PDB file of all heavy atoms in Angstrom:
ATOM      1  N   VAL H  41      10.833  -1.249  21.152  1.00 98.00           N
ATOM      2  CA  VAL H  41      10.672  -0.761  22.526  1.00 98.00           C
ATOM      3  C   VAL H  41      11.800   0.208  22.852  1.00 98.00           C
ATOM      4  O   VAL H  41      12.977  -0.123  22.690  1.00 98.00           O
ATOM      5  CB  VAL H  41      10.682  -1.940  23.518  1.00 98.00           C
ATOM      6  CG1 VAL H  41      10.604  -1.430  24.937  1.00 98.00           C
ATOM      7  CG2 VAL H  41       9.516  -2.888  23.238  1.00 98.00           C
ATOM      8  N   SER H  42      11.444   1.404  23.323  1.00 98.00           N
ATOM      9  CA  SER H  42      12.460   2.425  23.578  1.00 98.00           C
ATOM     10  C   SER H  42      12.222   3.145  24.894  1.00 98.00           C
ATOM     11  O   SER H  42      11.107   3.174  25.422  1.00 98.00           O
ATOM     12  CB  SER H  42      12.441   3.450  22.437  1.00 98.00           C
ATOM     13  OG  SER H  42      13.322   4.539  22.682  1.00 98.00           O
ATOM     14  N   ASN H  43      13.295   3.755  25.409  1.00 98.00           N
ATOM     15  CA  ASN H  43      13.145   4.695  26.514  1.00 98.00           C
ATOM     16  C   ASN H  43      12.447   5.951  26.005  1.00 98.00           C
ATOM     17  O   ASN H  43      12.258   6.135  24.789  1.00 98.00           O
ATOM     18  CB  ASN H  43      14.509   5.029  27.131  1.00 98.00           C
ATOM     19  CG  ASN H  43      15.429   5.781  26.172  1.00 98.00           C
ATOM     20  OD1 ASN H  43      15.529   5.457  24.993  1.00 98.00           O
ATOM     21  ND2 ASN H  43      16.116   6.796  26.669  1.00 98.00           N
ATOM     22  N   LEU H 126      15.502   5.328  33.325  1.00 98.00           N
ATOM     23  CA  LEU H 126      14.392   4.441  33.008  1.00 98.00           C
ATOM     24  C   LEU H 126      13.415   4.329  34.169  1.00 98.00           C
ATOM     25  O   LEU H 126      13.807   4.054  35.299  1.00 98.00           O
ATOM     26  CB  LEU H 126      14.905   3.034  32.671  1.00 98.00           C
ATOM     27  CG  LEU H 126      15.568   2.808  31.323  1.00 98.00           C
ATOM     28  CD1 LEU H 126      15.756   1.310  31.098  1.00 98.00           C
ATOM     29  CD2 LEU H 126      14.782   3.417  30.182  1.00 98.00           C
ATOM     30  N   PHE H 129       8.723  -0.468  33.481  1.00 98.00           N
ATOM     31  CA  PHE H 129       8.110  -0.780  32.194  1.00 98.00           C
ATOM     32  C   PHE H 129       6.766  -1.468  32.412  1.00 98.00           C
ATOM     33  O   PHE H 129       6.652  -2.369  33.241  1.00 98.00           O
ATOM     34  CB  PHE H 129       9.005  -1.729  31.390  1.00 98.00           C
ATOM     35  CG  PHE H 129      10.096  -1.050  30.613  1.00 98.00           C
ATOM     36  CD1 PHE H 129      10.569   0.207  30.963  1.00 98.00           C
ATOM     37  CD2 PHE H 129      10.679  -1.689  29.523  1.00 98.00           C
ATOM     38  CE1 PHE H 129      11.592   0.819  30.245  1.00 98.00           C
ATOM     39  CE2 PHE H 129      11.689  -1.091  28.800  1.00 98.00           C
ATOM     40  CZ  PHE H 129      12.150   0.168  29.149  1.00 98.00           C
ATOM     41  N   ILE H 145      12.238  -5.567  19.806  1.00 98.00           N
ATOM     42  CA  ILE H 145      13.507  -4.954  19.434  1.00 98.00           C
ATOM     43  C   ILE H 145      13.795  -3.832  20.435  1.00 98.00           C
ATOM     44  O   ILE H 145      13.099  -2.812  20.441  1.00 98.00           O
ATOM     45  CB  ILE H 145      13.474  -4.364  18.006  1.00 98.00           C
ATOM     46  CG1 ILE H 145      12.920  -5.383  17.007  1.00 98.00           C
ATOM     47  CG2 ILE H 145      14.865  -3.882  17.605  1.00 98.00           C
ATOM     48  CD1 ILE H 145      13.757  -6.632  16.855  1.00 98.00           C
ATOM     49  N   PRO H 146      14.786  -3.999  21.310  1.00 99.00           N
ATOM     50  CA  PRO H 146      15.095  -2.946  22.295  1.00 99.00           C
ATOM     51  C   PRO H 146      15.904  -1.816  21.660  1.00 99.00           C
ATOM     52  O   PRO H 146      16.717  -2.031  20.760  1.00 99.00           O
ATOM     53  CB  PRO H 146      15.918  -3.697  23.346  1.00 99.00           C
ATOM     54  CG  PRO H 146      16.615  -4.768  22.560  1.00 99.00           C
ATOM     55  CD  PRO H 146      15.661  -5.175  21.469  1.00 99.00           C
ATOM     56  N   MET H 147      15.667  -0.612  22.147  1.00 98.00           N
ATOM     57  CA  MET H 147      16.348   0.552  21.587  1.00 98.00           C
ATOM     58  C   MET H 147      16.487   1.626  22.654  1.00 98.00           C
ATOM     59  O   MET H 147      15.685   1.700  23.583  1.00 98.00           O
ATOM     60  CB  MET H 147      15.545   1.089  20.394  1.00 98.00           C
ATOM     61  CG  MET H 147      16.123   2.329  19.766  1.00 98.00           C
ATOM     62  SD  MET H 147      15.199   2.845  18.302  1.00 98.00           S
ATOM     63  CE  MET H 147      16.105   4.368  17.944  1.00 98.00           C
ATOM     64  N   ALA H 148      17.506   2.483  22.520  1.00 98.00           N
ATOM     65  CA  ALA H 148      17.675   3.615  23.432  1.00 98.00           C
ATOM     66  C   ALA H 148      18.081   4.846  22.638  1.00 98.00           C
ATOM     67  O   ALA H 148      18.822   4.762  21.656  1.00 98.00           O
ATOM     68  CB  ALA H 148      18.733   3.304  24.490  1.00 98.00           C
ATOM     69  N   GLN H 193      13.483  -8.505  31.194  1.00 98.00           N
ATOM     70  CA  GLN H 193      14.602  -8.744  30.287  1.00 98.00           C
ATOM     71  C   GLN H 193      14.765  -7.595  29.299  1.00 98.00           C
ATOM     72  O   GLN H 193      15.883  -7.125  29.051  1.00 98.00           O
ATOM     73  CB  GLN H 193      14.381 -10.058  29.530  1.00 98.00           C
ATOM     74  CG  GLN H 193      15.517 -10.409  28.573  1.00 98.00           C
ATOM     75  CD  GLN H 193      15.218 -11.668  27.762  1.00 98.00           C
ATOM     76  OE1 GLN H 193      14.147 -12.272  27.901  1.00 98.00           O
ATOM     77  NE2 GLN H 193      16.144 -12.060  26.919  1.00 98.00           N
ATOM     78  N   VAL H 194      13.648  -7.121  28.748  1.00 98.00           N
ATOM     79  CA  VAL H 194      13.695  -6.016  27.795  1.00 98.00           C
ATOM     80  C   VAL H 194      14.189  -4.746  28.473  1.00 98.00           C
ATOM     81  O   VAL H 194      15.020  -4.014  27.914  1.00 98.00           O
ATOM     82  CB  VAL H 194      12.304  -5.790  27.160  1.00 98.00           C
ATOM     83  CG1 VAL H 194      12.298  -4.528  26.307  1.00 98.00           C
ATOM     84  CG2 VAL H 194      11.892  -6.982  26.310  1.00 98.00           C
ATOM     85  N   ARG H 195      13.692  -4.483  29.679  1.00 98.00           N
ATOM     86  CA  ARG H 195      14.120  -3.276  30.375  1.00 98.00           C
ATOM     87  C   ARG H 195      15.624  -3.308  30.665  1.00 98.00           C
ATOM     88  O   ARG H 195      16.317  -2.288  30.527  1.00 98.00           O
ATOM     89  CB  ARG H 195      13.343  -3.111  31.688  1.00 98.00           C
ATOM     90  CG  ARG H 195      13.610  -1.770  32.380  1.00 98.00           C
ATOM     91  CD  ARG H 195      12.886  -1.665  33.713  1.00 98.00           C
ATOM     92  NE  ARG H 195      13.087  -0.358  34.323  1.00 98.00           N
ATOM     93  CZ  ARG H 195      14.179   0.015  34.980  1.00 98.00           C
ATOM     94  NH1 ARG H 195      15.184  -0.865  35.119  1.00 98.00           N
ATOM     95  NH2 ARG H 195      14.282   1.227  35.495  1.00 98.00           N
ATOM     96  N   GLU H 196      16.128  -4.456  31.082  1.00 98.00           N
ATOM     97  CA  GLU H 196      17.562  -4.585  31.340  1.00 98.00           C
ATOM     98  C   GLU H 196      18.375  -4.295  30.080  1.00 98.00           C
ATOM     99  O   GLU H 196      19.413  -3.631  30.132  1.00 98.00           O
ATOM    100  CB  GLU H 196      17.875  -5.991  31.853  1.00 98.00           C
ATOM    101  CG  GLU H 196      17.391  -6.244  33.280  1.00 98.00           C
ATOM    102  CD  GLU H 196      17.512  -7.701  33.680  1.00 98.00           C
ATOM    103  OE1 GLU H 196      18.032  -8.506  32.855  1.00 98.00           O
ATOM    104  OE2 GLU H 196      17.095  -8.053  34.809  1.00 98.00           O
ATOM    105  N   ARG H 197      17.864  -4.774  28.940  1.00 98.00           N
ATOM    106  CA  ARG H 197      18.579  -4.554  27.676  1.00 98.00           C
ATOM    107  C   ARG H 197      18.509  -3.093  27.254  1.00 98.00           C
ATOM    108  O   ARG H 197      19.508  -2.541  26.783  1.00 98.00           O
ATOM    109  CB  ARG H 197      17.992  -5.459  26.580  1.00 98.00           C
ATOM    110  CG  ARG H 197      18.792  -5.396  25.295  1.00 98.00           C
ATOM    111  CD  ARG H 197      20.214  -5.895  25.489  1.00 98.00           C
ATOM    112  NE  ARG H 197      20.997  -5.808  24.271  1.00 98.00           N
ATOM    113  CZ  ARG H 197      22.166  -5.175  24.169  1.00 98.00           C
ATOM    114  NH1 ARG H 197      22.693  -4.587  25.234  1.00 98.00           N
ATOM    115  NH2 ARG H 197      22.822  -5.150  23.035  1.00 98.00           N
ATOM    116  N   VAL H 198      17.353  -2.466  27.431  1.00 98.00           N
ATOM    117  CA  VAL H 198      17.240  -1.045  27.107  1.00 98.00           C
ATOM    118  C   VAL H 198      18.170  -0.232  28.005  1.00 98.00           C
ATOM    119  O   VAL H 198      18.815   0.717  27.552  1.00 98.00           O
ATOM    120  CB  VAL H 198      15.782  -0.554  27.233  1.00 98.00           C
ATOM    121  CG1 VAL H 198      15.706   0.972  27.086  1.00 98.00           C
ATOM    122  CG2 VAL H 198      14.899  -1.220  26.181  1.00 98.00           C
ATOM    123  N   GLN H 199      18.284  -0.626  29.270  1.00 98.00           N
ATOM    124  CA  GLN H 199      19.198   0.063  30.186  1.00 98.00           C
ATOM    125  C   GLN H 199      20.645  -0.052  29.693  1.00 98.00           C
ATOM    126  O   GLN H 199      21.390   0.929  29.713  1.00 98.00           O
ATOM    127  CB  GLN H 199      19.076  -0.539  31.596  1.00 98.00           C
ATOM    128  CG  GLN H 199      20.013   0.067  32.632  1.00 98.00           C
ATOM    129  CD  GLN H 199      19.714   1.518  32.925  1.00 98.00           C
ATOM    130  OE1 GLN H 199      18.556   1.897  33.048  1.00 98.00           O
ATOM    131  NE2 GLN H 199      20.747   2.342  33.032  1.00 98.00           N
ATOM    132  N   GLU H 200      21.033  -1.226  29.243  1.00 98.00           N
ATOM    133  CA  GLU H 200      22.384  -1.419  28.712  1.00 98.00           C
ATOM    134  C   GLU H 200      22.620  -0.538  27.483  1.00 98.00           C
ATOM    135  O   GLU H 200      23.677   0.082  27.334  1.00 98.00           O
ATOM    136  CB  GLU H 200      22.602  -2.888  28.349  1.00 98.00           C
ATOM    137  CG  GLU H 200      22.648  -3.821  29.549  1.00 98.00           C
ATOM    138  CD  GLU H 200      22.629  -5.287  29.143  1.00 98.00           C
ATOM    139  OE1 GLU H 200      22.497  -5.562  27.919  1.00 98.00           O
ATOM    140  OE2 GLU H 200      22.720  -6.153  30.033  1.00 98.00           O
ATOM    141  N   LEU H 201      21.627  -0.480  26.607  1.00 99.00           N
ATOM    142  CA  LEU H 201      21.746   0.329  25.398  1.00 99.00           C
ATOM    143  C   LEU H 201      21.787   1.818  25.742  1.00 99.00           C
ATOM    144  O   LEU H 201      22.524   2.590  25.116  1.00 99.00           O
ATOM    145  CB  LEU H 201      20.574   0.034  24.456  1.00 99.00           C
ATOM    146  CG  LEU H 201      20.561  -1.376  23.856  1.00 99.00           C
ATOM    147  CD1 LEU H 201      19.207  -1.664  23.223  1.00 99.00           C
ATOM    148  CD2 LEU H 201      21.666  -1.544  22.819  1.00 99.00           C
ATOM    149  N   LEU H 202      20.997   2.223  26.745  1.00 98.00           N
ATOM    150  CA  LEU H 202      21.006   3.615  27.172  1.00 98.00           C
ATOM    151  C   LEU H 202      22.380   4.001  27.716  1.00 98.00           C
ATOM    152  O   LEU H 202      22.916   5.074  27.384  1.00 98.00           O
ATOM    153  CB  LEU H 202      19.928   3.831  28.233  1.00 98.00           C
ATOM    154  CG  LEU H 202      19.845   5.230  28.861  1.00 98.00           C
ATOM    155  CD1 LEU H 202      19.627   6.296  27.804  1.00 98.00           C
ATOM    156  CD2 LEU H 202      18.733   5.266  29.910  1.00 98.00           C
ATOM    157  N   GLU H 203      22.958   3.138  28.521  1.00 98.00           N
ATOM    158  CA  GLU H 203      24.278   3.425  29.065  1.00 98.00           C
ATOM    159  C   GLU H 203      25.323   3.478  27.957  1.00 98.00           C
ATOM    160  O   GLU H 203      26.244   4.308  27.997  1.00 98.00           O
ATOM    161  CB  GLU H 203      24.649   2.372  30.111  1.00 98.00           C
ATOM    162  CG  GLU H 203      23.802   2.473  31.380  1.00 98.00           C
ATOM    163  CD  GLU H 203      24.036   1.322  32.342  1.00 98.00           C
ATOM    164  OE1 GLU H 203      24.907   0.473  32.058  1.00 98.00           O
ATOM    165  OE2 GLU H 203      23.353   1.266  33.386  1.00 98.00           O
TER     166      GLU H 203
END
Side-chain angles (χ1 to χ4, degrees):
V41 176
S42 175
N43 65 317
L126 285 191
F129 276 23
I145 311 297
M147 178 176 176
Q193 181 184 1
V194 172
R195 188 183 183 281
E196 288 171 3
R197 187 63 181 125
V198 172
Q199 178 65 42
E200 292 170 356
L201 293 166
L202 177 57
E203 291 172 3

